[in-house]
């Protein structure tokens, strides 16, 4: 069986075992050939807006694909000026204009935006080029785009399935505030869902449940429920742990809690988490999903969250295709051998400066 709308993708989900699949999400990298069974016939570009360098790269990449793979259809979200041969596209046209591959040009926000375009169903594989500020989710440098595209079109490479979480909103009586999406999984989020006090001067009071069992009553500025991918975003800034994207887990992190003993929790990825605005709360809770305001929950209303059966399939770089930031870091040796391992391990060191020690500037200048 195939993904609805994605003609070249092999559907590997048994509808009767979606819960079991959700528990196994992000546990390993998969061969690209398991997702793509033939040459991609259509590509959707998602790029950083209002950036001349990104616009120039967009033209270069589109021109290369049209010249090298002329049978491939190219799409981009509706704009006034599109390169020749690139057609306009919108998320409402997913069924009429199915997409086989997404190419992002920009920062991490471009992947989050790409995920939001397919927030009610499966998303095609994503090939991401770093042209933004941080680029923690972006394994490919834009200078390597010809080789990276050639590898994808030849079916080489691997996929890292980054977990998404599916969210549904409910009234006090348990009925859904709005219907589920077309896949029946609710709204899907890649980084995190945040309940926060917003403009209110009062703390939120939120009851948290894990698989129906009451966990705690949180009095705080808010709660963050994030994926392992989102562990390096808002959750990290709020004191949460850094979690490898292959770990099947959900993170519950408080924002400025009143209790000093309230610390971030790492929960099983198979859990269903419910966050309910307490009837005793003096303020409603604003809900943000991947940094975008979604809705306001009144006291008694709640959001239910669980792992989505539709992760984001991110294409990883090949071991010999050095695509990241600092060449010295990429060629660092371990016991005499070049490290060709995990992008994530390298990135938390080069981008987040993980456990980097502070050096006395005077001693550094003196060469000590």
């Amino acid at each position: 069986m195939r993904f609805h709308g994605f003609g070249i993708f092999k559907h590997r989900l048994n509808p009767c075992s979606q819960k079991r699949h959700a528990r196994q999400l992000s546990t390993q990298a998969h061969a690209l050939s398991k997702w793509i069974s033939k040459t991609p016939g259509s590509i959707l570009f998602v790029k950083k807006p209002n950036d001349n360098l990104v616009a120039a790269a967009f033209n270069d990449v589109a021109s290369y694909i049209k010249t090298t793979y002329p049978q491939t259809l190219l799409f981009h979200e509706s704009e006034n000026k599109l390169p020749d041969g690139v057609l306009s596209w919108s998320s409402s046209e997913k069924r009429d204009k199915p997409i086989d591959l997404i190419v992002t040009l920009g920062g991490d926000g471009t992947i989050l935006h790409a995920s939001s375009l397919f927030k009610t169903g499966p998303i095609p594989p994503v090939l991401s080029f770093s042209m933004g500020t941080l680029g923690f989710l972006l394994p490919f440098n834009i200078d390597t785009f010809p080789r990276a595209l050639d590898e994808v079109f030849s079916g080489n490479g691997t996929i890292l399935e980054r977990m998404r979480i599916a969210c549904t909103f409910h009234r006090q009586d348990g009925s859904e505030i709005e219907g589920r999406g077309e896949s029946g999984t609710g709204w899907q989020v890649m980084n995190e869902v945040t309940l926060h006090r917003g403009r209110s001067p009062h703390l939120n009071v939120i009851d948290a449940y894990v698989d129906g069992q009451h966990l705690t009553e949180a009095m705080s500025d808010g709660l963050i429920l994030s994926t392992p991918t989102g562990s390096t975003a808002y959750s990290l800034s709020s004191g949460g742990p850094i979690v490898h994207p292959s770990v099947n887990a959900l993170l519950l992190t408080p924002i400025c809690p009143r209790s000093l003993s309230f610390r971030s929790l790492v929960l099983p990825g198979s859990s269903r988490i419910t966050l309910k605005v307490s009837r005793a709360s003096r303020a409603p809770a604003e809900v943000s999903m991947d940094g975008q305001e979604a809705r306001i929950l009144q006291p008694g209303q709640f959001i239910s969250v669980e792992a989505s059966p539709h992760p984001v399939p991110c294409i990883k770089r090949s071991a010999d295709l050095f695509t990241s930031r600092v060449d010295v870091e990429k060629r660092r040796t371990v016991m005499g051998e070049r490290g060709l391992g995990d992008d994530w391990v390298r990135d938390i060191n080069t981008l987040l400066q993980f456990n980097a020690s502070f050096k006395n500037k005077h001693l550094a200048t003196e060469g000590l």
Side-chain angles (χ1 to χ4, degrees):
M1 190 165 70
R2 298 177 180 269
F3 279 120
H4 296 294
F6 305 150
I8 66 170
F9 296 99
K10 298 179 180 179
H11 198 321
R12 293 173 289 125
L13 290 179
N14 183 338
C16 298
S17 60
Q18 286 188 348
K19 273 189 171 289
R20 184 173 69 252
H21 176 78
R23 291 194 294 268
Q24 297 171 345
L25 285 178
S26 304
T27 57
Q28 59 181 335
H30 300 278
L32 183 61
S33 59
K34 291 187 177 181
W35 285 85
I36 301 180
S37 57
K38 64 178 182 179
T39 300
S42 58
I43 295 177
L44 172 66
F45 284 95
V46 178
K47 69 179 184 68
K48 181 180 179 181
N50 305 318
D51 188 300
N52 292 333
L53 290 177
V54 173
F58 177 32
N59 290 332
D60 291 342
V61 176
S63 177
Y64 178 82
I65 296 175
K66 286 186 296 182
T67 302
T68 311
Y69 308 101
Q71 303 302 318
T72 302
L73 297 176
L74 305 181
F75 296 98
H76 185 270
E77 287 185 277
S78 299
E79 274 191 356
N80 294 329
K81 295 181 180 180
L82 290 174
D84 292 338
V86 178
L87 307 174
S88 63
W89 185 92
S90 69
S91 57
S92 62
E93 299 177 296
K94 285 185 291 187
R95 293 187 180 277
D96 297 330
K97 298 178 180 179
I99 302 299
D100 297 332
L101 176 70
I102 299 175
V103 173
T104 69
L105 305 170
D108 290 343
T110 57
I111 298 185
L112 297 180
H113 181 62
S115 174
S116 71
L117 295 176
F118 297 85
K119 62 185 177 183
T120 59
I123 178 173
V126 180
L127 177 64
S128 302
F129 294 99
S130 177
M131 297 192 70
T133 304
L134 185 59
F136 196 79
L137 304 178
L138 311 167
F140 292 93
N141 187 281
I142 188 60
D143 294 336
T144 67
F145 78 82
R147 185 173 177 183
L149 286 167
D150 290 344
E151 286 199 344
V152 171
F153 274 82
S154 64
N156 296 325
T158 57
I159 288 285
L160 173 64
E161 294 182 338
R162 290 184 176 270
M163 176 193 288
R164 289 198 290 181
I165 48 179
C167 314
T168 53
F169 301 98
H170 300 263
R171 302 180 182 88
Q172 296 186 38
D173 61 4
S175 61
E176 289 191 23
I177 295 177
E178 53 184 56
R180 295 173 181 260
E182 63 189 43
S183 66
T185 57
W187 300 108
Q188 297 176 100
V189 181
M190 186 175 181
N191 264 4
E192 75 275 307
V193 177
T194 305
L195 274 67
H196 56 95
R197 65 187 179 97
R199 302 168 182 83
S200 172
H202 304 293
L203 295 178
N204 278 137
V205 182
I206 300 173
D207 287 302
Y209 299 82
V210 178
D211 291 329
Q213 183 176 3
H214 187 258
L215 173 67
T216 188
E217 180 186 73
M219 185 171 289
S220 62
D221 280 354
L223 291 177
I224 303 167
L225 187 65
S226 74
T227 64
T229 295
S231 70
T232 54
Y234 194 3
S235 176
L236 180 62
S237 299
S238 299
I242 300 175
V243 180
H244 193 283
S246 67
V247 176
N248 184 26
L250 296 171
L251 284 72
L252 183 65
T253 304
I255 307 171
C256 299
R258 187 179 69 171
S259 171
L260 296 180
S261 63
F262 192 177
R263 292 293 180 262
S264 182
L265 296 174
V266 179
L267 301 168
S270 59
S271 302
R272 175 185 285 271
I273 312 298
T274 300
L275 302 178
K276 183 176 183 179
V277 183
S278 172
R279 291 186 176 89
S281 182
R282 299 174 64 186
E286 294 188 15
V287 182
S288 299
M289 305 168 77
D290 280 349
Q292 302 297 316
E293 185 173 336
R295 65 165 50 253
I296 295 177
L297 292 180
Q298 300 298 329
Q301 297 180 337
F302 61 92
I303 181 172
S304 182
V305 181
E306 62 183 340
S308 167
H310 305 301
V312 179
C314 296
I315 298 174
K316 299 178 63 177
R317 68 180 181 88
S318 298
D320 61 343
L321 184 60
F322 291 113
T323 55
S324 285
R325 352 287 174 205
V326 183
D327 288 341
V328 173
E329 290 296 327
K330 295 175 196 177
R331 289 171 168 81
R332 173 177 286 178
T333 60
V334 179
M335 298 182 67
E337 295 185 2
R338 184 178 67 182
L340 296 175
D342 201 331
D343 294 334
W344 181 87
V345 172
R346 183 186 62 250
D347 287 347
I348 65 169
N349 284 281
T350 59
L351 298 180
L352 297 184
Q353 296 296 304
F354 177 70
N355 199 31
S357 60
F358 295 95
K359 295 181 179 179
N360 186 294
K361 292 183 179 180
H362 174 72
L363 294 178
T365 58
E366 294 294 326
L368 299 178

